[in-house]
Amino acid sequence: DAGVTQSPTHLIKTRGQHVTLRCSPISGHKSVSWYQQVLGQGPQFIFQYYEKEERGRGNFPDRFSARQFPNYSSELNVNALLLGDSALYLCASSFNGPFGTGLSEQYFGPGTRLTVT
Amino acid sequence: GIQVEQSPPDLILQEGANSTLRCNFSDSVNNLQWFHQNPWGQLINLFYIPSGTKQNGRLSATTVATERYSLLYISSSQTTDSGVYFCAVPTTSGTYKYIFGTGTRLKVLA
């Protein structure tokens, strides 16, 4: 079975532009989460979606938004890019959503490396 | 919100040595994961361990939820074990968030 896939692998954007990152979860998984990892730090939680609804949100500005489609794939959108948005963006999938004690193990994709110049 | 601290922050070992990595969390949790992030950035699942002890080859983990800590043991370390080790826990109240620890950077020397 394929793991979590993300596209694109790398991306270079200019300040002020908009970017869309994509994620396909493991087959059968209904939850997708997004994380930002700045160089030298741990991943920071941005969003979790379960059954197409937002179920969790981290401390990120409204420039960050996401959605989940009926096939459970997801998009992360970032508007008005800043230099500080340069990071590795990670997507994770799990079978269950938040606040579950079972089947909520998260599996990560390879990430999208975004550079903002 | 919940705080997740890992120790030590950095660790250098000779190949073949054993090590223990610690994850302390400030609030009760209902699950905990350990990950290894390789030099290419890929996060690899090691353990999903809300409580108790699990073993997988040279690695084992123990979580004592009542005392709010988890330990990751690496035995007979290999150079391929190098990378950053993270523990991560979900919040159990309020707005849902998934919190990663501060990480332990491990380097295994040949």
Side-chain angles (χ1 to χ4, degrees), chain A residues 35 37 41-43 45 48 55-59 88 90 98-110 113, chain B residues 30-31 33 35 37 40-43 45-48 50 86 91-102 105:
Chain A
Y35 297 81
Q37 187 174 23
Q41 298 182 18
F45 175 77
Q48 184 179 60
R55 301 299 183 104
R57 173 182 282 258
N59 300 327
L88 179 67
L90 295 162
F99 299 126
T101 56
L103 299 176
S104 57
E105 183 173 2
Q106 298 206 39
Y107 296 85
F108 281 81
R113 195 165 296 277
Chain B
N30 59 18
N31 76 60
Q33 284 191 252
F35 297 94
Q37 189 166 40
W40 297 273
Q42 176 73 53
L43 277 166
N45 287 36
L46 297 178
F47 294 101
Y48 176 77
F86 291 103
T91 53
T92 54
S93 61
T95 302
Y96 175 85
K97 296 178 185 178
Y98 202 73
I99 308 299
F100 274 72
T102 49
R105 186 174 300 274

Side-chain angles (χ1 to χ4, degrees), chain A residues 56-88:
Chain A
R57 173 182 282 258
N59 300 327
F60 281 80
D62 292 344
R63 299 185 296 108
F64 290 76
S65 64
R67 53 179 175 166
Q68 187 177 33
F69 299 101
N71 66 354
Y72 300 110
S73 67
S74 178
E75 281 182 355
L76 175 70
N77 294 284
V78 186
N79 292 325
L81 284 167
L82 303 174
L83 294 179
D85 296 331
S86 296
L88 179 67

Side-chain angles (χ1 to χ4, degrees), chain A residues 24-33 48-55 67-74 92-98 103-105:
Chain A
S24 291
I26 292 170
S27 177
H29 283 194
K30 301 178 182 179
S31 178
V32 169
S33 299
Q48 184 179 60
Y49 277 75
Y50 176 66
E51 290 284 15
K52 302 178 287 294
E53 290 189 13
E54 181 184 304
R55 301 299 183 104
R67 53 179 175 166
Q68 187 177 33
F69 299 101
N71 66 354
Y72 300 110
S73 67
S74 178
S93 80
S94 61
F95 182 81
N96 266 345
L103 299 176
S104 57
E105 183 173 2

Side-chain angles (χ1 to χ4, degrees), chain A residues 7-29:
Chain A
S7 63
T9 306
H10 295 86
L11 200 52
I12 299 175
K13 290 286 191 178
T14 304
R15 275 177 298 176
Q17 287 187 319
H18 162 270
V19 68
T20 298
L21 310 181
R22 295 178 174 83
C23 172
S24 291
I26 292 170
S27 177
H29 283 194

Side-chain angles (χ1 to χ4, degrees), chain B residues 77-93:
Chain B
S77 58
Q78 300 176 358
T79 55
T80 51
D81 295 332
S82 297
V84 185
Y85 290 80
F86 291 103
C87 62
V89 299
T91 53
T92 54
S93 61

